[in-house]
Amino acid sequence: DAKTTQPTSMDCAEGRAANLPCNHSTISGNEYVYWYRQIHSQGPQYIIHGLKNNETNEMASLIITEDRKSSTLILPHATLRDTAVYYCIVRGVYNQGGKLIFGQGTELSVKP
Amino acid sequence: GAVVSQHPSRVICKSGTSVKIECRSLDFQATTMFWYRQFPKQSLMLMATSNEGSKATYEQGVEKDKFLINHASLTLSTLTVTSAHPEDSSFYICSGVGAAPYEQYFGPGTRLTVT
């Protein structure tokens, strides 16, 4: 599975959109982009995933560039409870059900 | 989403003793479960892959005789830390994989402190 690069930390004002970037320049055509988050001292929580098209669910939106080399997770109206470490993970379609390799992630701090 | 539980949520044990951590999928059957370890300020590190009815597959550098994994049923996997030492103190997290679309659901974690 391809490697990802994320900023170490980001701040966001409460109520504003949080845009978390992820670079995956070596992604191949059969690899998904997954996003998880981990609130302090809890297990990771699945947020969203996508292959080529942009995706949206009740938690967030995922924007994937046309060349698929990068993506952005958008939390439209960040709240204090969104403070967490956000992990961007690339995972092969043939590795569904397989292991997830976590990088360092982005520590998002939502401030009042 | 599907729910995974872990028991205990935190445990303190003395050096040299063994401790067992349970991971249960409550509302789905997990043919595969994973065990991760996380030290303070670090990311999750995959320890092993546990498949129901077969031997676990350990990641490089993880001692299989020290971290015993048993996946006896489709809803239960256990991790036993044998002869624990203070350096084994960590946050242990399990996850289970359900049927298609094969999402991975994580437990809440177990905080192990070895004194």
Side-chain angles (χ1 to χ4, degrees):
Chain A
D1 296 332
K3 188 176 175 179
T4 63
T5 305
Q6 299 177 251
T8 303
S9 63
M10 291 182 64
D11 289 342
C12 177
E14 188 179 18
R16 304 297 293 270
N19 297 287
L20 292 94
C22 179
N23 185 293
H24 31 78
S25 58
T26 61
I27 193 170
S28 61
N30 62 357
E31 290 182 315
Y32 286 95
V33 179
Y34 277 78
W35 284 84
Y36 283 80
R37 74 178 182 184
Q38 185 181 26
I39 295 169
H40 183 62
S41 292
Q42 297 183 24
Q45 176 188 23
Y46 166 81
I47 301 173
I48 198 167
H49 75 280
L51 186 62
K52 289 195 289 191
N53 299 322
N54 297 337
E55 302 287 343
T56 295
N57 63 21
E58 64 277 3
M59 286 183 70
S61 295
L62 174 60
I63 308 298
I64 303 174
T65 58
E66 197 168 333
D67 64 5
R68 302 186 71 242
K69 291 180 185 292
S70 66
S71 60
T72 301
L73 178 75
I74 301 172
L75 307 178
H77 305 287
T79 70
L80 299 179
R81 285 178 294 185
D82 292 321
T83 292
V85 178
Y86 288 77
Y87 296 99
C88 169
I89 302 170
V90 169
R91 185 190 199 186
V93 298
Y94 301 113
N95 189 33
Q96 289 191 82
K99 57 188 179 184
L100 293 173
I101 303 300
F102 286 79
Q104 291 307 306
T106 296
E107 187 167 7
L108 175 69
S109 296
V110 181
K111 299 181 185 298
Chain B
V3 180
V4 174
S5 70
Q6 284 185 239
H7 178 78
S9 57
R10 56 178 65 233
V11 57
I12 301 172
C13 71
K14 292 186 185 240
S15 189
T17 63
S18 296
V19 61
K20 181 187 285 188
I21 302 169
E22 291 185 349
C23 175
R24 292 182 186 274
S25 56
L26 297 185
D27 51 2
F28 70 101
Q29 293 185 326
T31 53
T32 302
M33 286 183 167
F34 298 93
W35 286 95
Y36 296 82
R37 181 168 54 179
Q38 187 175 33
F39 293 109
K41 303 284 188 187
Q42 294 187 24
S43 185
L44 285 79
M45 187 192 79
L46 180 66
M47 298 175 67
T49 303
S50 166
N51 290 298
E52 187 264 338
S54 63
K55 288 186 179 179
T57 303
Y58 291 81
E59 295 298 302
Q60 193 172 14
V62 178
E63 300 174 58
K64 64 177 194 281
D65 294 329
K66 180 169 183 61
F67 299 100
L68 301 179
I69 292 172
N70 185 282
H71 193 162
S73 78
L74 288 172
T75 59
L76 174 64
S77 176
T78 60
L79 168 69
T80 301
V81 183
T82 62
S83 188
H85 290 285
E87 56 265 31
D88 298 322
S89 297
S90 189
F91 192 50
Y92 291 86
I93 305 168
C94 71
S95 69
V97 179
Y102 308 111
E103 295 309 333
Q104 194 167 139
Y105 302 100
F106 287 83
T110 295
R111 176 79 56 194
L112 170 63
T113 303
V114 185
T115 60

